Short mmCIF file of all heavy atoms in Angstrom, two decimals:
data_model
loop_
_atom_site.label_atom_id
_atom_site.label_comp_id
_atom_site.label_asym_id
_atom_site.label_seq_id
_atom_site.Cartn_x
_atom_site.Cartn_y
_atom_site.Cartn_z
N MET A 1 109.17 74.64 108.15
CA MET A 1 108.89 75.06 106.79
C MET A 1 107.72 76.04 106.83
O MET A 1 106.93 76.04 107.77
CB MET A 1 108.63 73.85 105.92
CG MET A 1 107.30 73.17 106.11
SD MET A 1 107.18 71.65 105.16
CE MET A 1 106.22 70.71 106.29
N ASN A 2 107.61 76.84 105.80
CA ASN A 2 106.57 77.87 105.73
C ASN A 2 105.40 77.35 104.89
O ASN A 2 105.62 76.84 103.79
CB ASN A 2 107.15 79.14 105.12
CG ASN A 2 106.18 80.29 105.19
OD1 ASN A 2 105.03 80.16 104.80
ND2 ASN A 2 106.65 81.43 105.65
N LEU A 3 104.19 77.50 105.41
CA LEU A 3 102.98 77.07 104.70
C LEU A 3 102.06 78.25 104.47
O LEU A 3 101.84 79.06 105.37
CB LEU A 3 102.23 76.02 105.54
CG LEU A 3 100.83 75.64 105.06
CD1 LEU A 3 100.88 74.89 103.73
CD2 LEU A 3 100.12 74.80 106.12
N GLU A 4 101.53 78.34 103.24
CA GLU A 4 100.50 79.32 102.91
C GLU A 4 99.34 78.58 102.26
O GLU A 4 99.56 77.78 101.34
CB GLU A 4 101.01 80.38 101.93
CG GLU A 4 101.81 81.47 102.58
CD GLU A 4 102.03 82.63 101.62
OE1 GLU A 4 101.13 83.46 101.48
OE2 GLU A 4 103.12 82.66 101.02
N ILE A 5 98.13 78.83 102.75
CA ILE A 5 96.92 78.28 102.14
C ILE A 5 96.09 79.46 101.66
O ILE A 5 95.71 80.32 102.45
CB ILE A 5 96.11 77.43 103.15
CG1 ILE A 5 96.96 76.28 103.68
CG2 ILE A 5 94.84 76.90 102.47
CD1 ILE A 5 96.28 75.46 104.77
N ILE A 6 95.84 79.49 100.35
CA ILE A 6 95.17 80.62 99.72
C ILE A 6 93.97 80.14 98.92
O ILE A 6 94.05 79.12 98.22
CB ILE A 6 96.14 81.37 98.79
CG1 ILE A 6 97.35 81.87 99.59
CG2 ILE A 6 95.46 82.52 98.08
CD1 ILE A 6 98.47 82.39 98.73
N THR A 7 92.85 80.87 99.01
CA THR A 7 91.68 80.63 98.15
C THR A 7 91.55 81.84 97.23
O THR A 7 92.24 82.84 97.43
CB THR A 7 90.38 80.48 98.98
OG1 THR A 7 90.08 81.72 99.59
CG2 THR A 7 90.50 79.38 100.03
N PRO A 8 90.66 81.79 96.25
CA PRO A 8 90.47 82.98 95.39
C PRO A 8 90.01 84.21 96.18
O PRO A 8 90.23 85.33 95.74
CB PRO A 8 89.39 82.53 94.40
CG PRO A 8 89.53 81.05 94.34
CD PRO A 8 89.92 80.63 95.73
N ASP A 9 89.42 83.99 97.35
CA ASP A 9 88.88 85.10 98.14
C ASP A 9 89.86 85.69 99.14
O ASP A 9 89.88 86.90 99.36
CB ASP A 9 87.63 84.65 98.91
CG ASP A 9 86.52 84.20 97.97
OD1 ASP A 9 86.43 84.74 96.85
OD2 ASP A 9 85.77 83.29 98.37
N LYS A 10 90.66 84.83 99.80
CA LYS A 10 91.53 85.34 100.87
C LYS A 10 92.60 84.32 101.25
O LYS A 10 92.56 83.16 100.84
CB LYS A 10 90.71 85.67 102.11
CG LYS A 10 89.99 84.48 102.72
CD LYS A 10 89.16 84.89 103.92
CE LYS A 10 88.39 83.68 104.45
NZ LYS A 10 87.62 84.03 105.62
N LYS A 11 93.56 84.79 102.06
CA LYS A 11 94.59 83.92 102.62
C LYS A 11 94.01 83.28 103.87
O LYS A 11 93.55 83.96 104.78
CB LYS A 11 95.84 84.73 102.97
CG LYS A 11 97.00 83.87 103.43
CD LYS A 11 98.21 84.70 103.80
CE LYS A 11 98.82 85.33 102.59
NZ LYS A 11 100.10 86.00 102.88
N ILE A 12 94.02 81.95 103.92
CA ILE A 12 93.42 81.20 105.03
C ILE A 12 94.43 80.95 106.14
O ILE A 12 94.12 81.02 107.31
CB ILE A 12 92.88 79.84 104.52
CG1 ILE A 12 91.84 80.05 103.41
CG2 ILE A 12 92.30 79.01 105.64
CD1 ILE A 12 90.60 80.79 103.84
N PHE A 13 95.68 80.64 105.76
CA PHE A 13 96.71 80.30 106.76
C PHE A 13 98.06 80.71 106.23
O PHE A 13 98.36 80.56 105.04
CB PHE A 13 96.70 78.79 107.03
CG PHE A 13 97.71 78.34 108.05
CD1 PHE A 13 97.36 78.26 109.39
CD2 PHE A 13 99.01 78.01 107.68
CE1 PHE A 13 98.29 77.85 110.34
CE2 PHE A 13 99.94 77.61 108.62
CZ PHE A 13 99.58 77.53 109.96
N SER A 14 98.92 81.19 107.12
CA SER A 14 100.30 81.49 106.78
C SER A 14 101.13 81.33 108.04
O SER A 14 100.80 81.93 109.08
CB SER A 14 100.43 82.92 106.24
OG SER A 14 101.78 83.18 105.89
N GLY A 15 102.17 80.51 107.98
CA GLY A 15 103.01 80.34 109.15
C GLY A 15 103.94 79.15 109.05
O GLY A 15 103.94 78.41 108.07
N GLU A 16 104.75 78.99 110.10
CA GLU A 16 105.71 77.89 110.19
C GLU A 16 105.01 76.65 110.71
O GLU A 16 104.25 76.72 111.68
CB GLU A 16 106.86 78.27 111.12
CG GLU A 16 107.80 79.31 110.54
CD GLU A 16 108.57 78.80 109.33
OE1 GLU A 16 109.08 77.67 109.37
OE2 GLU A 16 108.66 79.55 108.34
N VAL A 17 105.28 75.51 110.07
CA VAL A 17 104.68 74.23 110.46
C VAL A 17 105.77 73.15 110.43
O VAL A 17 106.81 73.32 109.81
CB VAL A 17 103.51 73.84 109.54
CG1 VAL A 17 102.41 74.88 109.60
CG2 VAL A 17 103.97 73.63 108.11
N SER A 18 105.49 72.03 111.09
CA SER A 18 106.44 70.92 111.08
C SER A 18 106.02 69.82 110.11
O SER A 18 106.87 69.09 109.60
CB SER A 18 106.60 70.34 112.48
OG SER A 18 105.35 69.93 113.00
N ALA A 19 104.71 69.70 109.84
CA ALA A 19 104.22 68.68 108.92
C ALA A 19 102.84 69.08 108.41
O ALA A 19 102.08 69.75 109.11
CB ALA A 19 104.13 67.32 109.61
N VAL A 20 102.53 68.67 107.17
CA VAL A 20 101.20 68.92 106.60
C VAL A 20 100.77 67.65 105.86
O VAL A 20 101.55 67.09 105.08
CB VAL A 20 101.20 70.09 105.59
CG1 VAL A 20 99.78 70.43 105.17
CG2 VAL A 20 101.89 71.31 106.16
N THR A 21 99.53 67.23 106.09
CA THR A 21 98.98 66.06 105.40
C THR A 21 97.91 66.54 104.43
O THR A 21 97.04 67.35 104.80
CB THR A 21 98.37 65.07 106.41
OG1 THR A 21 99.39 64.72 107.36
CG2 THR A 21 97.88 63.81 105.71
N PHE A 22 97.99 66.05 103.19
CA PHE A 22 97.10 66.51 102.12
C PHE A 22 96.25 65.38 101.56
O PHE A 22 96.71 64.24 101.48
CB PHE A 22 97.92 67.09 100.96
CG PHE A 22 98.67 68.33 101.30
CD1 PHE A 22 100.04 68.30 101.52
CD2 PHE A 22 98.02 69.55 101.37
CE1 PHE A 22 100.74 69.45 101.82
CE2 PHE A 22 98.71 70.71 101.67
CZ PHE A 22 100.07 70.65 101.90
N PRO A 23 95.04 65.72 101.07
CA PRO A 23 94.20 64.74 100.35
C PRO A 23 94.48 64.80 98.85
O PRO A 23 93.79 65.47 98.10
CB PRO A 23 92.78 65.22 100.67
CG PRO A 23 92.93 66.72 100.73
CD PRO A 23 94.31 66.96 101.33
N GLY A 24 95.53 64.15 98.41
CA GLY A 24 95.87 64.15 96.99
C GLY A 24 94.82 63.42 96.17
O GLY A 24 94.09 62.57 96.69
N THR A 25 94.73 63.73 94.90
CA THR A 25 93.75 63.05 94.04
C THR A 25 94.09 61.58 93.87
O THR A 25 93.21 60.78 93.57
CB THR A 25 93.66 63.73 92.65
OG1 THR A 25 94.96 63.82 92.10
CG2 THR A 25 93.04 65.10 92.75
N GLU A 26 95.35 61.21 94.07
CA GLU A 26 95.77 59.81 93.96
C GLU A 26 95.97 59.17 95.33
O GLU A 26 96.49 58.06 95.43
CB GLU A 26 97.05 59.70 93.14
CG GLU A 26 96.89 60.15 91.71
CD GLU A 26 95.94 59.28 90.91
OE1 GLU A 26 95.97 58.04 91.06
OE2 GLU A 26 95.13 59.85 90.15
N GLY A 27 95.62 59.88 96.40
CA GLY A 27 95.78 59.35 97.75
C GLY A 27 96.39 60.38 98.68
O GLY A 27 96.96 61.38 98.24
N GLN A 28 96.27 60.12 99.96
CA GLN A 28 96.75 61.03 100.98
C GLN A 28 98.28 61.01 101.02
O GLN A 28 98.91 59.96 100.84
CB GLN A 28 96.19 60.59 102.33
CG GLN A 28 96.45 61.55 103.46
CD GLN A 28 95.84 61.05 104.76
OE1 GLN A 28 96.03 59.90 105.13
NE2 GLN A 28 95.10 61.91 105.42
N PHE A 29 98.90 62.18 101.26
CA PHE A 29 100.35 62.24 101.42
C PHE A 29 100.73 63.32 102.42
O PHE A 29 99.95 64.22 102.70
CB PHE A 29 101.05 62.48 100.06
CG PHE A 29 100.74 63.81 99.41
CD1 PHE A 29 101.59 64.88 99.57
CD2 PHE A 29 99.61 63.97 98.62
CE1 PHE A 29 101.32 66.10 98.97
CE2 PHE A 29 99.33 65.19 98.00
CZ PHE A 29 100.20 66.25 98.18
N GLN A 30 101.93 63.18 102.97
CA GLN A 30 102.40 64.12 103.98
C GLN A 30 103.69 64.79 103.52
O GLN A 30 104.54 64.16 102.88
CB GLN A 30 102.65 63.39 105.30
CG GLN A 30 102.99 64.32 106.45
CD GLN A 30 103.11 63.58 107.77
OE1 GLN A 30 103.84 62.60 107.87
NE2 GLN A 30 102.38 64.04 108.76
N VAL A 31 103.85 66.06 103.87
CA VAL A 31 105.04 66.82 103.55
C VAL A 31 105.70 67.21 104.87
O VAL A 31 105.04 67.74 105.76
CB VAL A 31 104.69 68.08 102.73
CG1 VAL A 31 105.91 68.96 102.55
CG2 VAL A 31 104.11 67.69 101.39
N LEU A 32 107.00 66.91 104.98
CA LEU A 32 107.79 67.26 106.16
C LEU A 32 108.87 68.26 105.76
O LEU A 32 109.07 68.53 104.57
CB LEU A 32 108.44 66.01 106.75
CG LEU A 32 107.49 64.89 107.16
CD1 LEU A 32 108.28 63.64 107.52
CD2 LEU A 32 106.63 65.33 108.33
N ASN A 33 109.59 68.77 106.75
CA ASN A 33 110.68 69.72 106.50
C ASN A 33 111.70 69.09 105.55
O ASN A 33 111.98 67.89 105.61
CB ASN A 33 111.34 70.08 107.83
CG ASN A 33 112.11 71.37 107.76
OD1 ASN A 33 111.83 72.24 106.94
ND2 ASN A 33 113.09 71.51 108.62
N ASN A 34 112.27 69.88 104.65
CA ASN A 34 113.26 69.47 103.66
C ASN A 34 112.73 68.45 102.65
O ASN A 34 113.48 67.65 102.10
CB ASN A 34 114.53 68.92 104.34
CG ASN A 34 115.24 70.00 105.13
OD1 ASN A 34 115.36 71.12 104.68
ND2 ASN A 34 115.69 69.65 106.31
N HIS A 35 111.44 68.49 102.38
CA HIS A 35 110.83 67.58 101.40
C HIS A 35 111.31 67.94 100.00
O HIS A 35 111.62 69.09 99.70
CB HIS A 35 109.30 67.72 101.46
CG HIS A 35 108.55 66.60 100.81
ND1 HIS A 35 108.42 66.50 99.45
CD2 HIS A 35 107.90 65.54 101.34
CE1 HIS A 35 107.71 65.42 99.17
NE2 HIS A 35 107.38 64.82 100.30
N ALA A 36 111.38 66.95 99.13
CA ALA A 36 111.76 67.19 97.73
C ALA A 36 110.73 68.07 97.05
O ALA A 36 109.57 68.11 97.46
CB ALA A 36 111.87 65.85 97.00
N ALA A 37 111.14 68.76 96.00
CA ALA A 37 110.22 69.61 95.24
C ALA A 37 109.07 68.76 94.70
O ALA A 37 109.27 67.61 94.30
CB ALA A 37 110.96 70.28 94.10
N LEU A 38 107.87 69.35 94.70
CA LEU A 38 106.68 68.59 94.37
C LEU A 38 105.57 69.54 93.92
O LEU A 38 105.43 70.64 94.46
CB LEU A 38 106.21 67.83 95.62
CG LEU A 38 104.83 67.22 95.66
CD1 LEU A 38 104.83 65.91 94.87
CD2 LEU A 38 104.40 66.95 97.08
N VAL A 39 104.79 69.11 92.93
CA VAL A 39 103.55 69.77 92.55
C VAL A 39 102.51 68.68 92.44
O VAL A 39 102.75 67.65 91.81
CB VAL A 39 103.67 70.53 91.20
CG1 VAL A 39 102.32 71.07 90.78
CG2 VAL A 39 104.69 71.64 91.30
N SER A 40 101.35 68.87 93.09
CA SER A 40 100.31 67.85 93.08
C SER A 40 98.93 68.49 93.11
O SER A 40 98.76 69.59 93.63
CB SER A 40 100.47 66.93 94.29
OG SER A 40 99.46 65.94 94.32
N THR A 41 97.96 67.77 92.55
CA THR A 41 96.58 68.22 92.65
C THR A 41 95.96 67.65 93.93
O THR A 41 96.37 66.60 94.42
CB THR A 41 95.75 67.75 91.44
OG1 THR A 41 95.87 66.34 91.31
CG2 THR A 41 96.22 68.43 90.17
N LEU A 42 95.00 68.39 94.45
CA LEU A 42 94.32 67.98 95.68
C LEU A 42 92.89 67.60 95.38
O LEU A 42 92.23 68.25 94.57
CB LEU A 42 94.33 69.13 96.70
CG LEU A 42 95.70 69.62 97.15
CD1 LEU A 42 95.53 70.82 98.07
CD2 LEU A 42 96.46 68.51 97.85
N GLY A 43 92.42 66.58 96.06
CA GLY A 43 91.02 66.19 95.97
C GLY A 43 90.27 66.78 97.14
O GLY A 43 90.81 67.61 97.90
N GLN A 44 89.05 66.37 97.31
CA GLN A 44 88.25 66.84 98.43
C GLN A 44 88.67 66.10 99.69
O GLN A 44 88.86 64.88 99.67
CB GLN A 44 86.77 66.60 98.15
CG GLN A 44 85.85 67.21 99.18
CD GLN A 44 84.39 67.05 98.78
OE1 GLN A 44 84.05 66.22 97.95
NE2 GLN A 44 83.54 67.85 99.38
N GLY A 45 88.85 66.82 100.78
CA GLY A 45 89.25 66.18 102.03
C GLY A 45 89.89 67.16 102.98
O GLY A 45 89.80 68.37 102.82
N ALA A 46 90.58 66.60 103.99
CA ALA A 46 91.16 67.41 105.07
C ALA A 46 92.64 67.67 104.84
O ALA A 46 93.40 66.77 104.51
CB ALA A 46 90.96 66.71 106.39
N ILE A 47 93.03 68.93 105.04
CA ILE A 47 94.43 69.31 105.14
C ILE A 47 94.71 69.42 106.64
O ILE A 47 94.07 70.21 107.33
CB ILE A 47 94.71 70.66 104.45
CG1 ILE A 47 94.45 70.57 102.96
CG2 ILE A 47 96.15 71.10 104.72
CD1 ILE A 47 94.60 71.90 102.22
N VAL A 48 95.63 68.60 107.13
CA VAL A 48 95.97 68.60 108.55
C VAL A 48 97.32 69.28 108.73
O VAL A 48 98.33 68.81 108.20
CB VAL A 48 96.00 67.17 109.13
CG1 VAL A 48 96.33 67.20 110.61
CG2 VAL A 48 94.67 66.47 108.89
N VAL A 49 97.32 70.39 109.47
CA VAL A 49 98.52 71.20 109.68
C VAL A 49 99.02 70.95 111.10
O VAL A 49 98.27 71.12 112.06
CB VAL A 49 98.19 72.70 109.49
CG1 VAL A 49 99.42 73.55 109.76
CG2 VAL A 49 97.64 72.96 108.09
N GLU A 50 100.28 70.54 111.22
CA GLU A 50 100.88 70.30 112.53
C GLU A 50 102.01 71.29 112.75
O GLU A 50 102.96 71.34 111.99
CB GLU A 50 101.41 68.87 112.61
CG GLU A 50 100.30 67.83 112.46
CD GLU A 50 100.81 66.42 112.46
OE1 GLU A 50 101.67 66.10 113.32
OE2 GLU A 50 100.38 65.64 111.60
N GLY A 51 101.85 72.09 113.78
CA GLY A 51 102.85 73.09 114.14
C GLY A 51 102.82 73.26 115.64
O GLY A 51 102.86 72.28 116.38
N ALA A 52 102.71 74.51 116.10
CA ALA A 52 102.57 74.77 117.53
C ALA A 52 101.32 74.07 118.07
O ALA A 52 101.29 73.63 119.21
CB ALA A 52 102.50 76.27 117.78
N HIS A 53 100.29 74.00 117.25
CA HIS A 53 99.09 73.22 117.55
C HIS A 53 98.57 72.64 116.24
O HIS A 53 99.00 73.02 115.17
CB HIS A 53 98.04 74.07 118.28
CG HIS A 53 97.61 75.28 117.50
ND1 HIS A 53 98.34 76.44 117.46
CD2 HIS A 53 96.53 75.50 116.73
CE1 HIS A 53 97.72 77.33 116.70
NE2 HIS A 53 96.61 76.78 116.23
N LYS A 54 97.65 71.71 116.34
CA LYS A 54 97.13 71.01 115.16
C LYS A 54 95.88 71.71 114.66
O LYS A 54 94.98 72.01 115.45
CB LYS A 54 96.84 69.56 115.54
CG LYS A 54 96.60 68.63 114.40
CD LYS A 54 96.48 67.20 114.93
CE LYS A 54 96.47 66.21 113.82
NZ LYS A 54 96.43 64.83 114.33
N GLU A 55 95.82 71.97 113.35
CA GLU A 55 94.64 72.57 112.72
C GLU A 55 94.23 71.73 111.53
O GLU A 55 95.07 71.14 110.85
CB GLU A 55 94.94 73.99 112.23
CG GLU A 55 95.07 75.02 113.33
CD GLU A 55 95.19 76.42 112.74
OE1 GLU A 55 94.23 76.89 112.11
OE2 GLU A 55 96.27 77.01 112.90
N THR A 56 92.93 71.70 111.26
CA THR A 56 92.41 70.96 110.11
C THR A 56 91.55 71.88 109.26
O THR A 56 90.70 72.61 109.79
CB THR A 56 91.57 69.75 110.57
OG1 THR A 56 92.41 68.92 111.38
CG2 THR A 56 91.08 68.94 109.39
N PHE A 57 91.78 71.86 107.95
CA PHE A 57 90.99 72.62 106.99
C PHE A 57 90.41 71.64 105.98
O PHE A 57 91.12 70.75 105.51
CB PHE A 57 91.87 73.64 106.25
CG PHE A 57 92.59 74.60 107.14
CD1 PHE A 57 93.89 74.36 107.55
CD2 PHE A 57 91.97 75.76 107.58
CE1 PHE A 57 94.57 75.24 108.37
CE2 PHE A 57 92.64 76.67 108.40
CZ PHE A 57 93.94 76.40 108.80
N THR A 58 89.14 71.80 105.63
CA THR A 58 88.52 70.94 104.63
C THR A 58 88.54 71.65 103.29
O THR A 58 88.01 72.75 103.16
CB THR A 58 87.07 70.58 105.03
OG1 THR A 58 87.11 69.95 106.30
CG2 THR A 58 86.46 69.63 104.02
N VAL A 59 89.16 71.01 102.30
CA VAL A 59 89.35 71.62 100.99
C VAL A 59 88.49 70.87 99.97
O VAL A 59 88.27 69.68 100.09
CB VAL A 59 90.85 71.60 100.61
CG1 VAL A 59 91.36 70.20 100.44
CG2 VAL A 59 91.12 72.39 99.36
N ASP A 60 88.01 71.61 98.96
CA ASP A 60 87.20 71.02 97.90
C ASP A 60 88.01 70.66 96.67
O ASP A 60 87.48 70.19 95.68
CB ASP A 60 86.05 71.96 97.51
CG ASP A 60 85.02 72.08 98.62
OD1 ASP A 60 84.84 71.11 99.38
OD2 ASP A 60 84.41 73.16 98.73
N GLY A 61 89.31 70.91 96.71
CA GLY A 61 90.20 70.63 95.59
C GLY A 61 91.18 71.77 95.44
O GLY A 61 91.04 72.81 96.06
N GLY A 62 92.21 71.55 94.63
CA GLY A 62 93.20 72.60 94.42
C GLY A 62 94.53 72.02 93.99
O GLY A 62 94.61 70.91 93.49
N VAL A 63 95.59 72.81 94.23
CA VAL A 63 96.95 72.45 93.84
C VAL A 63 97.88 72.80 94.98
O VAL A 63 97.69 73.81 95.66
CB VAL A 63 97.37 73.23 92.57
CG1 VAL A 63 98.80 72.91 92.18
CG2 VAL A 63 96.43 72.94 91.41
N VAL A 64 98.91 71.97 95.19
CA VAL A 64 99.94 72.26 96.18
C VAL A 64 101.31 72.23 95.50
O VAL A 64 101.56 71.40 94.63
CB VAL A 64 99.90 71.27 97.38
CG1 VAL A 64 100.12 69.85 96.92
CG2 VAL A 64 100.92 71.65 98.44
N GLU A 65 102.16 73.19 95.89
CA GLU A 65 103.53 73.25 95.40
C GLU A 65 104.48 73.26 96.60
O GLU A 65 104.25 74.01 97.55
CB GLU A 65 103.77 74.52 94.58
CG GLU A 65 105.22 74.66 94.12
CD GLU A 65 105.52 76.03 93.54
OE1 GLU A 65 105.23 77.04 94.21
OE2 GLU A 65 106.05 76.07 92.42
N VAL A 66 105.50 72.40 96.56
CA VAL A 66 106.51 72.34 97.62
C VAL A 66 107.85 72.67 96.97
O VAL A 66 108.24 72.02 95.99
CB VAL A 66 106.57 70.94 98.26
CG1 VAL A 66 107.65 70.89 99.33
CG2 VAL A 66 105.22 70.53 98.82
N LEU A 67 108.56 73.67 97.50
CA LEU A 67 109.85 74.06 96.94
C LEU A 67 110.66 74.80 98.01
O LEU A 67 110.18 75.82 98.56
CB LEU A 67 109.65 74.96 95.71
CG LEU A 67 110.91 75.37 94.96
CD1 LEU A 67 111.63 74.15 94.38
CD2 LEU A 67 110.56 76.35 93.84
N ASN A 68 111.84 74.31 98.31
CA ASN A 68 112.76 74.97 99.25
C ASN A 68 112.12 75.29 100.60
O ASN A 68 112.21 76.42 101.09
CB ASN A 68 113.35 76.24 98.63
CG ASN A 68 114.16 75.96 97.39
OD1 ASN A 68 114.80 74.92 97.30
ND2 ASN A 68 114.12 76.86 96.43
N ASN A 69 111.46 74.31 101.20
CA ASN A 69 110.80 74.45 102.50
C ASN A 69 109.69 75.49 102.51
O ASN A 69 109.35 76.05 103.55
CB ASN A 69 111.80 74.75 103.62
CG ASN A 69 112.50 73.51 104.09
OD1 ASN A 69 111.94 72.41 104.03
ND2 ASN A 69 113.72 73.65 104.57
N LYS A 70 109.12 75.75 101.35
CA LYS A 70 107.93 76.61 101.23
C LYS A 70 106.83 75.77 100.59
O LYS A 70 107.03 75.17 99.54
CB LYS A 70 108.21 77.85 100.40
CG LYS A 70 109.21 78.77 101.06
CD LYS A 70 109.48 79.99 100.21
CE LYS A 70 110.54 80.85 100.88
NZ LYS A 70 110.98 81.95 100.04
N VAL A 71 105.67 75.75 101.24
CA VAL A 71 104.53 74.98 100.74
C VAL A 71 103.40 75.97 100.45
O VAL A 71 102.99 76.71 101.32
CB VAL A 71 104.06 73.94 101.79
CG1 VAL A 71 102.90 73.14 101.26
CG2 VAL A 71 105.21 73.03 102.20
N LEU A 72 102.96 75.99 99.20
CA LEU A 72 101.89 76.88 98.76
C LEU A 72 100.71 76.06 98.32
O LEU A 72 100.84 75.19 97.44
CB LEU A 72 102.36 77.77 97.61
CG LEU A 72 101.33 78.71 96.99
CD1 LEU A 72 100.81 79.70 98.03
CD2 LEU A 72 101.92 79.43 95.80
N VAL A 73 99.55 76.30 98.94
CA VAL A 73 98.32 75.61 98.59
C VAL A 73 97.38 76.62 97.95
O VAL A 73 97.06 77.64 98.55
CB VAL A 73 97.64 74.99 99.83
CG1 VAL A 73 96.33 74.31 99.43
CG2 VAL A 73 98.57 74.01 100.52
N LEU A 74 96.96 76.34 96.71
CA LEU A 74 95.96 77.14 96.02
C LEU A 74 94.68 76.29 96.04
O LEU A 74 94.56 75.33 95.29
CB LEU A 74 96.39 77.45 94.60
CG LEU A 74 97.75 78.16 94.46
CD1 LEU A 74 98.14 78.28 93.00
CD2 LEU A 74 97.72 79.51 95.13
N ALA A 75 93.76 76.65 96.94
CA ALA A 75 92.57 75.84 97.15
C ALA A 75 91.37 76.46 96.45
O ALA A 75 91.24 77.69 96.41
CB ALA A 75 92.27 75.73 98.64
N GLU A 76 90.51 75.60 95.90
CA GLU A 76 89.27 76.09 95.28
C GLU A 76 88.38 76.75 96.32
O GLU A 76 87.87 77.82 96.11
CB GLU A 76 88.56 74.94 94.58
CG GLU A 76 89.30 74.43 93.37
CD GLU A 76 88.64 73.21 92.74
OE1 GLU A 76 87.48 72.91 93.05
OE2 GLU A 76 89.32 72.55 91.93
N SER A 77 88.18 76.06 97.43
CA SER A 77 87.44 76.63 98.55
C SER A 77 87.76 75.83 99.81
O SER A 77 88.13 74.67 99.74
CB SER A 77 85.93 76.63 98.30
OG SER A 77 85.45 75.31 98.22
N ILE A 78 87.63 76.49 100.95
CA ILE A 78 87.88 75.88 102.25
C ILE A 78 86.61 75.99 103.08
O ILE A 78 85.99 77.06 103.14
CB ILE A 78 89.03 76.61 102.99
CG1 ILE A 78 90.32 76.56 102.21
CG2 ILE A 78 89.20 76.06 104.39
CD1 ILE A 78 91.16 75.35 102.36
N SER A 79 86.23 74.88 103.69
CA SER A 79 85.05 74.96 104.57
C SER A 79 85.41 74.49 105.97
O SER A 79 86.50 74.05 106.24
CB SER A 79 83.92 74.11 104.01
OG SER A 79 84.35 72.80 103.73
#
């Protein structure tokens, strides 16, 4: 599936991944290939991206949308 992580300043990540774990405001959740459509708010915590290698981004909040194997993260800020 394709993942894009965007902040108001720049695009942080774009590429194919196999799984992404998010810090949802109601608890942590994971998105895999062919996941059902979803829109959720993000709390403060780690976004763990699993693809060719594992990457972790710390987000201060935001929104994630999952639709047709495309995952778009609009993050307030990434540290």
Side-chain angles (χ1 to χ4, degrees):
M1 74 187 145
N2 187 310
L3 170 68
E4 280 192 81
I5 301 175
I6 301 170
T7 67
D9 299 328
K10 62 181 177 178
K11 186 181 291 187
I12 302 297
F13 181 91
S14 181
E16 289 294 315
V17 299
S18 57
V20 188
T21 304
F22 294 104
T25 53
E26 297 296 319
Q28 188 179 49
F29 64 96
Q30 187 175 52
V31 173
L32 302 171
N33 200 26
N34 295 318
H35 196 283
L38 166 79
V39 174
S40 179
T41 54
L42 299 176
Q44 187 175 19
I47 296 175
V48 181
V49 178
E50 298 176 45
H53 58 280
K54 193 174 189 177
E55 287 187 65
T56 302
F57 303 95
T58 302
V59 65
D60 291 330
V63 178
V64 60
E65 176 191 52
V66 179
L67 184 63
N68 298 327
N69 280 331
K70 294 180 183 172
V71 181
L72 177 61
V73 178
L74 304 174
E76 291 175 15
S77 65
I78 300 276
S79 52

